[in-house]
Amino acid sequence: ATLGAIVTVRRIYGNFSKPNLAPWREVALANSFRPVNAFSFVSGKGTSDAIMIIEAMDCLYTTPNLDGFALVTSDSDFTPLAQRLREAGRKVIGFGSRQTPSPFVTACEHFIYTENL
């Protein structure tokens, strides 16, 4: 509540056919996140990052009342997304581990380390 207003879009991305993502099913259900399944087209290469970026940009341009985005990742590949969302005047709050590379941390308006939650 101190970081923003009402959350209107809640999504979680991953290849949920993989056993290591099974625990996220309960998290998604408990928090009313819509799971977005992202199958891997080739072994060892996921598609969830690309899908998340595409959907964030879709939301940016098709839902003008969204004033902020929360990106839960420790992956610096999302740095350009955070930069672009902020250039468009949106708040970006990042959540990730202490190992999150500094470019992504500083691209977010606020960054919260998951170890502190």
Side-chain angles (χ1 to χ4, degrees):
T2 60
L3 294 175
I6 299 168
V7 178
T8 57
V9 178
R10 296 176 182 215
R11 297 181 186 160
I12 184 169
Y13 299 84
N15 183 349
F16 296 107
S17 66
K18 292 186 174 187
N20 64 321
L21 292 183
W24 288 102
R25 181 182 184 277
E26 292 305 317
V27 173
L29 289 172
N31 294 286
S32 190
F33 281 85
R34 181 170 58 89
V36 177
N37 197 39
F39 291 118
S40 298
F41 295 114
V42 295
S43 179
K45 187 73 177 146
T47 59
S48 57
D49 290 4
I51 294 170
M52 185 172 147
I53 291 167
I54 291 166
E55 290 200 356
M57 295 306 292
D58 284 349
C59 285
L60 175 64
Y61 290 110
T62 62
T63 316
N65 63 325
L66 286 180
D67 61 357
F69 291 79
L71 304 176
V72 184
T73 180
S74 297
D75 189 340
S76 64
D77 288 351
F78 290 99
T79 301
L81 174 61
Q83 292 168 332
R84 181 63 188 90
L85 294 171
R86 290 193 67 195
E87 287 171 1
R90 302 310 192 275
K91 294 178 185 175
V92 177
I93 301 169
F95 294 82
S97 71
R98 289 264 176 215
Q99 286 97 19
T100 303
S102 62
F104 179 65
V105 172
T106 57
C108 298
E109 185 173 337
H110 299 286
F111 192 88
I112 298 169
Y113 292 101
T114 52
E115 292 87 348
N116 296 339
L117 298 175

